[in-house]
Amino acid sequence: MTALPASNRGNLPRTDTVPYGGDYNPEQWPQPVWDDDHRLFTQARIDTLTVGVFSWSLTQPAPDTYDFTILDRVLDRAAAENRHVCLATGTAALPPWLAKRHPEVNRTDFEGRRHRYGQRHSFCPSSPAYRGHATAMAARLAERYADHPALLAWHINNEYGGACYCELCAEAFREWLANRYGTLDALNDAWWATFWSHRYTGWDQVEPPNALTEHWRGPDHTAFQGITLDYFRFTTDALLGCFLAEKEVIRAQDPDTPVTTNFMGMFRPLDYHRWAPHLDFASWDSYPPLDAPPTWPALAHDLMRGLKDGAPFWLMEQTPSTTACRDVNPLRRPGELSLATFQAIAHGADAALYFQMRASRGACEKYHGAVIGHAGRADTRVFREVAELGRELESLGDVTLGARTPARTALLFDWDSWWALEISDGPSRLVRYQEVVHAYYRAAREAGADVDVVPVTADLTSYDVVLAPVLHMVKGDLAERLEAVAARGGTVLTTFLSGRVDEHDRAFLTDVPGPLAPLMGVRVDEWDSRPRDFVQPVQLGELTCEARLVFEIVLPRGAEPVGTYGTDFYAGTPAVTRNRFGESGGEGWYVATALDQPGVDWTVRRILGRHDLLGPYADHPALETATRVAPDGTRLLFLLNHAPEPVRLTAHTTATDLLTGKRVEEGEPLTLDPLSTVILRGQ
């Protein structure tokens, strides 16, 4: 195996090439099918299989009965074929006997209904019966397979998510609150409980916020944002507790094999930053929205990379062809699979895995894309593309493994701000956190800047530019650390609806934007909210762009106007401002409205240009660029053409394309075919 420096690899599994394969469920098939599968896996260069994800009812058919016969055969066969296994604990889907024997393991939903057995991810995270049986299963697996030659990584549960509102969770929530606040006085103050006669005099009076208590019209409409915000945090911690319980018993038997669970990118219900320290390596399942631009999955990739301080992550799942869970499930066009895979690697993926290896014959995923279809053929277009991609990844060897991204631009991503913004009454329920954050990320990426997507607690000292759109909640010393970026000559950008509330979702008793006001040099007393179809023109230099949804009326307090509103009584007042901060030429930019993409692009490019961070191909919007630096210092520049037509460039440096072996001289023409990738290694 290739040994890479721990500082670069973290605790990722050690391999010689990018692990390639995916979710495999041989327990659904007879032995002759296994033989066909492994023959095809070899043909496609498949070397890594994720197994056991939904095998609990098979490996434990009764409370006191364990049967590892099939799983033994699966792992032994993988080892015999020189394939690695990412072994799942199988605890995401309950066996029927567990739900029948312990009805309390089934969740109670937001409307207060206790569910019965069915589907998956249906367990109560506070149920002692669930935790007891799940950890017992994980312990048995670790005891049996810790030293198995095929074992590469542990995969706990699967796509954690979902909230429960049962009495067990209510009691656990009260205990969580007591640990967090210590006293009822502190709780009442944090939740501003004098409002609507909510002052609590006993912990047992607290109820989970749901449709029967504080909510109306669904989970985002709550009378008490502080209560709901804390329940989001509690749910994150409750599910994390389930993960940690399984990890603990695995570690008792296997102290070394890396442990992960598969995240879901920008998944609102769980704060992945609270999970990150407890994973040996991050991994995630990429299924971007159907109409998403390329920067949408790129943002999620960079978010996953940022979970572990820039260490590489695993792409645990993607479809080789189509999904099945949506009303409409378009097919990936020729070339799109390769492009999506290399995009993940460009942004920090050290593995490329699929769901699924062989199509299920029945149930809701029988039409989900698979490397091997129901007929088991090797001459389908999808299989040929998978095999060709496997050949290319094999040819790369270990050159990308452990490589890091040398970003000088950071984008802050904060689940607390996301939650607080979208459960707030006013100014506008039309503002969506992901959409605003993505707009600024997209602008930076399309301008050719590498971007680290980091939590608000991250060390910001290495960045010249920090983008902090809709930073609704400001916690701890964040304001001071942002000021420090500008004080040493950097630039900080934030936007409308930022600096509004503290960690308990209480409004700051100062001028908007709260603790960010000194850095931004503005004061906001009023804001105008309008329907989505209302457009306010904003003038940015020679560009007239459109703004929507929220229009804050800015009073400069040291800042200079960069863009102005065009209509209404506040026409001519600042919509975008720039504030000189400190003696080193730092700046704070404030964007007081939801600019359209051209307006965001204009603003972000001005900031990046100030720090010489515009990429060499910034004038080619369909061309995505990303940089990784290998452990030996080799610089890798990924060029990805997302357009259906060729992109013609002039090479900005002398380099070799790792996929073709072709040398490119500085100044020579460089053409990228539609939906193609070039990986340039500098000379």
Side-chain angles (χ1 to χ4, degrees), residues 303-424:
L303 175 63
M304 294 297 104
R305 191 183 73 244
L307 292 178
K308 299 295 290 182
D309 194 28
F313 59 92
W314 271 26
L315 177 60
M316 188 67 80
E317 290 184 22
Q318 66 167 334
T319 179
S321 56
T322 183
T323 57
C325 58
R326 294 160 173 154
D327 291 343
V328 177
N329 298 275
L331 180 66
R332 276 184 159 166
R333 269 47 188 170
E336 289 183 354
L337 171 60
S338 175
L339 188 63
T341 302
F342 280 118
Q343 181 189 49
I345 294 171
H347 287 265
D350 265 10
L353 307 179
Y354 299 109
F355 182 86
Q356 51 192 334
M357 297 309 300
R358 176 179 277 273
S360 175
R361 187 176 185 186
C364 63
E365 289 174 338
K366 66 179 178 293
Y367 294 133
H368 195 289
V371 173
I372 304 169
H374 294 127
R377 304 183 66 89
D379 59 356
T380 65
R381 178 183 66 85
V382 170
F383 185 86
R384 288 196 301 267
E385 288 198 12
V386 168
E388 174 60 20
L389 182 55
R391 184 197 63 77
E392 290 181 322
L393 294 177
E394 186 178 73
S395 71
L396 284 178
D398 65 355
V399 67
T400 64
L401 296 180
R404 295 225 174 193
T405 300
R408 292 163 54 198
T409 299
L411 181 137
L412 301 188
F413 194 100
D414 182 42
W415 264 270
D416 278 340
S417 286
W418 188 357
W419 292 334
L421 176 72
E422 295 190 2
I423 63 173
S424 177

Side-chain angles (χ1 to χ4, degrees), residues 235-270:
T235 296
T236 287
D237 287 351
L239 287 168
L240 175 58
C242 294
F243 170 86
L244 290 174
E246 291 191 42
K247 183 180 179 182
E248 181 181 6
V249 297
I250 289 173
R251 278 287 170 258
Q253 302 290 334
D254 182 355
D256 300 318
T257 304
V259 176
T260 191
T261 189
N262 49 337
F263 290 157
M264 291 177 281
M266 292 181 286
F267 180 62
R268 199 184 87 156
L270 298 185

Side-chain angles (χ1 to χ4, degrees), residues 41-299:
F41 293 163
T42 298
Q43 191 172 334
R45 271 71 166 188
I46 298 299
D47 58 25
T48 302
L49 303 172
T50 302
V51 302
V53 176
F54 296 112
S55 61
W56 195 351
S57 64
L58 185 71
T59 52
Q60 190 179 9
D64 301 315
T65 303
Y66 292 88
D67 184 354
F68 296 106
T69 304
I70 293 180
L71 203 53
D72 284 348
R73 289 168 51 204
V74 171
L75 269 73
D76 290 347
R77 181 63 182 271
E81 300 279 353
N82 293 314
R83 295 189 224 287
H84 302 296
V85 162
C86 180
L87 181 56
T89 58
T91 53
L94 304 173
W97 61 260
L98 180 54
K100 185 69 173 178
R101 179 179 242 203
H102 298 281
E104 72 277 10
V105 303
N106 297 309
R107 283 182 181 159
T108 296
D109 66 19
F110 183 75
E111 283 74 31
R113 301 170 298 186
R114 169 79 75 181
H115 284 211
R116 304 186 68 169
Y117 180 75
Q119 301 184 46
R120 62 172 186 169
H121 300 301
S122 56
F123 62 87
C124 166
S126 303
S127 164
Y130 171 76
R131 287 210 188 186
H133 284 286
T135 54
M137 171 55 70
R140 293 269 188 148
L141 290 167
E143 180 181 15
R144 191 173 191 89
Y145 300 114
D147 297 320
H148 198 282
L151 182 65
L152 181 64
W154 288 102
H155 179 315
I156 294 177
N157 204 277
N158 180 75
E159 295 183 338
Y160 278 101
C164 180
Y165 299 88
C166 72
E167 281 304 312
L168 289 172
C169 285
E171 285 299 323
F173 182 45
R174 293 163 192 144
E175 181 179 351
W176 184 92
L177 293 170
N179 290 332
R180 177 176 174 83
Y181 292 106
T183 68
L184 285 166
D185 285 343
L187 175 79
N188 284 320
D189 181 59
W191 288 356
W192 209 243
T194 50
F195 182 78
W196 282 3
S197 188
H198 267 54
R199 184 174 179 275
Y200 296 94
T201 57
W203 295 105
D204 61 343
Q205 298 165 10
V206 176
E207 297 285 350
N210 60 17
L212 302 179
T213 58
E214 302 295 351
H215 282 255
W216 72 96
R217 288 173 53 200
D220 286 346
H221 295 74
T222 176
F224 275 80
Q225 284 78 32
I227 300 174
T228 297
L229 185 64
D230 272 343
Y231 206 75
F232 290 161
R233 292 165 172 160
F234 159 75
T235 296
T236 287
D237 287 351
L239 287 168
L240 175 58
C242 294
F243 170 86
L244 290 174
E246 291 191 42
K247 183 180 179 182
E248 181 181 6
V249 297
I250 289 173
R251 278 287 170 258
Q253 302 290 334
D254 182 355
D256 300 318
T257 304
V259 176
T260 191
T261 189
N262 49 337
F263 290 157
M264 291 177 281
M266 292 181 286
F267 180 62
R268 199 184 87 156
L270 298 185
D271 181 349
Y272 288 150
H273 288 133
R274 297 168 79 95
W275 287 61
H278 307 288
L279 274 66
D280 293 322
F281 65 101
S283 64
W284 85 286
D285 301 347
S286 179
Y287 299 102
L290 303 180
D291 57 350
T295 45
W296 192 274
L299 169 56

